[in-house]
């Protein structure tokens, strides 16, 4: 029985958490799909068009994508997913012997990820981050609407 606001908060908390987990998972999966597409985009030369011939892949971008984390501060819940902060500041050594070597951070790589570029020097065909956001908007009506859909899915009626 709900007698006060504290009882109400306690009653709906599991629904909110479940809906946030579903929402975060959907966003994470969309980002993962885009990272996988980035790694397999055929923009390099033969014989293997998805393998760089101008730099060596470390999979650090792929491995830095983290699954949703839900946090509660007071009465506020939030979740985060994306790329680890340590990756953003990581400095790739590159190959100083290569005349077109471009030193880069993880942040640089993510910017190239969204600027149709691999390694800052090879032209790709996609702006992967923008595409992920556009797909979430078109498939779910945006993140807020996705959360509302997931609230309904877990049994918490919302308008």
């Amino acid at each position: 029985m709900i007698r006060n606001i504290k009882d109400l908060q306690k009653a709906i908390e599991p629904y909110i958490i479940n809906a946030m987990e579903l929402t975060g998972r959907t966003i994470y999966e969309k980002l993962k799909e885009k990272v996988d597409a980035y790694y397999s985009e055929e923009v390099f030369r033969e014989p293997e068009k998805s393998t760089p011939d101008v730099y060596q892949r470390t999979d650090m971008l792929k491995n830095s994508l983290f699954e949703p984390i839900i946090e509660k501060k007071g009465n506020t819940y939030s979740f985060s997913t994306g790329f680890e902060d340590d990756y953003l500041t990581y400095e790739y050594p590159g190959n100083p012997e290569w005349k077109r070597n471009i030193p880069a951070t993880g942040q640089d790589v993510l910017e190239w990820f969204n600027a149709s570029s691999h390694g800052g020097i090879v032209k790709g065909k996609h702006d992967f981050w923008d595409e992920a956001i556009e797909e979430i908007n078109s498939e779910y009506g945006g993140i807020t609407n996705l959360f509302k859909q997931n609230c309904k899915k877990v049994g918490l009626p919302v308008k």
Side-chain angles (χ1 to χ4, degrees), residues 1-155:
M1 173 162 256
I2 297 173
R3 294 184 181 101
N4 54 43
I5 194 72
K6 197 170 192 172
D7 289 345
L8 177 61
Q9 287 173 326
K10 194 180 281 189
I12 66 171
E13 185 174 83
Y15 296 101
I16 298 293
I17 291 170
N18 287 340
M20 291 189 85
E21 286 173 347
L22 290 173
T23 303
R25 172 63 49 191
T26 299
I27 294 167
Y28 169 80
E29 290 298 331
K30 183 60 71 179
L31 290 174
K32 185 175 179 335
E33 176 184 307
K34 295 303 174 183
V35 169
D36 290 343
Y38 182 70
Y39 273 77
S40 61
E41 187 175 27
E42 292 187 352
V43 294
F44 302 103
R45 290 183 284 222
E46 299 290 348
E48 180 54 52
K49 292 186 196 175
S50 63
T51 302
D53 52 358
V54 294
Y55 61 89
Q56 201 168 40
R57 284 228 166 114
T58 63
D59 288 344
M60 288 189 70
L61 169 69
K62 186 183 288 191
N63 295 334
S64 76
L65 180 62
F66 65 90
E67 297 199 22
I69 299 169
I70 297 176
E71 294 183 82
K72 180 182 180 186
K73 291 180 184 169
N75 292 329
T76 303
Y77 289 90
S78 65
F79 73 87
S80 57
T81 187
F83 300 91
E84 296 170 358
D85 289 342
D86 287 349
Y87 176 69
L88 300 176
T89 58
Y90 174 79
E91 294 184 17
Y92 286 92
N95 182 354
E97 294 176 17
W98 190 56
K99 67 180 179 178
R100 291 181 61 198
N101 185 54
I102 299 175
T105 64
Q107 179 71 39
D108 293 326
V109 174
L110 281 171
E111 289 176 15
W112 296 328
F113 172 77
N114 195 48
S116 301
S117 179
H118 294 258
I121 51 174
V122 178
K123 185 76 177 136
K125 297 174 182 75
H126 300 275
D127 297 338
F128 290 101
W129 180 261
D130 289 345
E131 288 177 15
I133 298 300
E134 287 171 17
E135 288 175 22
I136 289 169
N137 288 339
S138 68
E139 292 173 30
Y140 305 103
I143 294 173
T144 302
N145 198 47
L146 172 60
F147 177 67
K148 287 179 184 178
Q149 291 171 30
N150 286 327
C151 284
K152 292 175 186 174
K153 199 180 284 185
V154 299

